[in-house]
């Protein structure tokens, strides 16, 4: 997907799993774009139901909101609250009743203004000039230990509870308050929304390197391929949304047709052009015969 202001690529892989519990989607209205990613939690029944319900619910909230959204944080919080209620309701109406749960990352972009919210351990990376400016902090047991100084970063990868999520959408509890952040985008800035099937399999340096590719489709495929390969044969579902901010001017420049210069633009003159024609007639006139 692309427009005058941006380009977006979505990639989803099953990995070495029987069921795909990840869901990704975008929605566009006027000058507003919404990016959505949900990773159904496998430790609970029907994670795929929770993830799909969240995407459907947030999409409806976006279709119904008045544009431009004057208070993006309020909109995102309310959208996730409604999604939580609908996920819980979908679980209650299942036979037998269940409590499906999902992570969530949603990002609202209006012009050059981006605002995002998340619950769980799906992430958003904000990159500029090959550097990570912002990375969402996981709502997980291990992340809490790390931030409190109880464990070192080197201990995270092999911690027995590193996949334990502390906040989510769905379940029996009331809706939880997401974490928010925002940014004013500049030309070339990128956003990467991804499930843990991607970031848990790759070093952040590889994420950065891949997104330096000019072709965003190629970058997204490269990231998914590397994540699948590095975690084989235990690859999780892998999902990502890659967004690149362009601005109107850069997009218009890229769409201009290639125009070959005329002889006069190359520094020649009309007299020189006529001389060339006359020499050609002198040389090949006998082969061409008399004009009719």
């Amino acid at each position: 997907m692309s427009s005058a202001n941006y380009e977006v690529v979505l990639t989803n892989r099953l990995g070495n799993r029987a069921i795909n519990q990840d869901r990704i989607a975008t929605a566009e209205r006027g000058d507003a774009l919404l990016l959505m990613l949900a990773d159904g939690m496998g430790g609970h029944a029907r994670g795929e139901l929770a993830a799909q319900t969240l995407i459907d619910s947030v999409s409806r909230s976006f279709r119904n909101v008045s544009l431009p959204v004057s208070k993006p944080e309020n909109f995102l919080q309310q959208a996730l609250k409604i999604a939580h209620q609908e996920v819980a309701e979908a679980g209650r109406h299942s036979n037998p009743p269940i409590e499906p749960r999902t992570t969530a990352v949603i990002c609202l972009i209006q012009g050059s203004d981006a605002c995002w919210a998340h619950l769980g351990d799906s992430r958003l990376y904000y990159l500029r000039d090959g550097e990570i400016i912002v990375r969402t902090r996981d709502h997980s047991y291990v992340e809490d230990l790390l931030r409190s100084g109880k464990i070192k970063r080197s201990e995270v990868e092999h911690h027995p509870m590193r996949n334990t999520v502390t906040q989510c959408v769905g379940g029996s509890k009331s809706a939880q308050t997401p974490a928010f952040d925002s940014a004013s985008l500049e030309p070339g800035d990128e956003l990467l929304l991804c499930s843990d099937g991607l970031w848990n399999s790759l070093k952040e340096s590889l994420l950065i390197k891949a997104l330096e590719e000019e072709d965003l489709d190629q970058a997204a495929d490269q990231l998914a391929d590397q994540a699948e390969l590095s975690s084989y044969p235990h690859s999780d579902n892998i999902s990502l949304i890659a967004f690149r901010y362009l601005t109107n001017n850069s997009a218009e420049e890229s769409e201009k047709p290639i125009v070959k210069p005329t002889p006069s633009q190359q520094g020649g003159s009309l007299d020189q052009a006529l001389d060339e024609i006359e020499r050609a007639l002198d040389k090949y006139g006998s082969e061409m015969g008399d004009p009719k």
Side-chain angles (χ1 to χ4, degrees):
M1 176 188 293
S2 63
S3 78
N5 291 336
Y6 62 82
E7 56 181 325
V8 181
V9 175
L10 293 79
T11 298
N12 175 258
R13 303 281 180 88
L14 177 63
N16 304 114
R17 299 298 170 92
I19 299 175
N20 192 340
Q21 296 187 318
D22 285 6
R23 297 293 187 273
I24 50 177
T26 64
E28 187 176 24
R29 284 181 60 210
D31 294 330
L33 173 69
L34 189 69
L35 312 178
M36 298 168 281
L37 183 146
D39 178 2
M41 294 170 60
H44 304 270
R46 299 294 308 279
E48 74 280 5
L49 172 64
Q52 187 62 57
T53 301
L54 181 139
I55 295 295
D56 293 342
S57 177
V58 173
S59 296
R60 281 194 297 273
S61 293
F62 180 63
R63 288 196 299 268
N64 294 330
V65 71
S66 298
L67 297 179
V69 180
S70 58
K71 297 181 178 180
E73 283 193 11
N74 290 353
F75 162 71
L76 296 177
Q77 181 169 2
Q78 183 65 16
L80 286 172
K81 181 178 180 180
I82 294 172
H84 174 87
Q85 295 167 348
E86 294 190 2
V87 169
E89 184 178 357
R92 287 193 296 269
H93 284 84
S94 296
N95 188 17
I98 54 175
E99 295 183 356
R101 307 177 189 196
T102 181
T103 69
V105 183
I106 54 177
C107 179
L108 176 66
I109 301 167
Q110 299 182 105
S112 61
D113 295 323
C115 182
W116 56 87
H118 85 284
L119 285 163
D121 63 352
S122 293
R123 292 180 177 179
L124 182 146
Y125 290 87
Y126 171 36
L127 300 101
R128 175 180 293 166
D129 297 330
E131 294 185 3
I132 297 173
I133 305 299
V134 175
R135 191 266 278 177
T136 54
R137 296 298 174 185
D138 306 334
H139 294 131
S140 68
Y141 181 75
V142 168
E143 186 75 20
D144 291 343
L145 292 178
L146 180 65
R147 299 188 74 179
S148 64
K150 294 180 180 179
I151 62 171
K152 298 178 181 178
R153 185 164 295 278
S154 59
E155 299 176 74
V156 170
E157 184 176 353
H158 301 289
H159 196 283
M161 297 185 68
R162 70 187 185 123
N163 294 322
T164 302
V165 173
T166 57
Q167 294 194 54
C168 64
V169 176
S172 59
K173 297 180 180 179
S174 58
Q176 296 170 317
T177 301
F180 301 97
D181 210 339
S182 61
S184 182
L185 303 175
E186 296 184 3
D189 284 0
E190 295 167 324
L191 300 173
L192 174 67
L193 286 67
C194 60
S195 61
D196 65 338
L198 182 78
W199 66 257
N200 206 21
S201 303
L202 299 176
K203 293 182 178 179
E204 289 186 344
S205 58
L206 291 177
L207 300 180
I208 296 171
K209 184 177 181 180
L211 289 174
E212 289 177 343
E213 290 281 348
E214 184 175 349
D215 188 323
L216 201 60
D217 281 291
Q218 183 175 331
D221 282 339
Q222 179 181 335
L223 280 172
D225 289 343
Q226 289 176 332
E228 280 190 305
L229 183 62
S230 66
S231 55
Y232 181 85
H234 305 292
S235 175
D236 195 358
N237 304 148
I238 297 167
S239 296
L240 67 95
I241 303 175
F243 168 93
R244 181 176 290 155
Y245 184 62
L246 301 175
T247 76
N248 284 323
N249 291 337
S250 62
E252 289 170 359
E253 287 295 326
S254 65
E255 294 170 359
K256 287 182 179 178
I258 298 174
V259 180
K260 294 183 179 180
T262 63
S264 60
Q265 290 173 324
Q266 292 176 342
S269 65
L270 179 59
D271 290 339
Q272 289 175 326
L274 292 173
D275 288 342
E276 290 292 334
I277 294 172
E278 187 175 348
R279 281 195 293 272
L281 289 173
D282 289 340
K283 184 174 182 180
Y284 301 108
S286 59
E287 299 175 10
M288 296 169 63
D290 295 330
K292 294 181 180 180

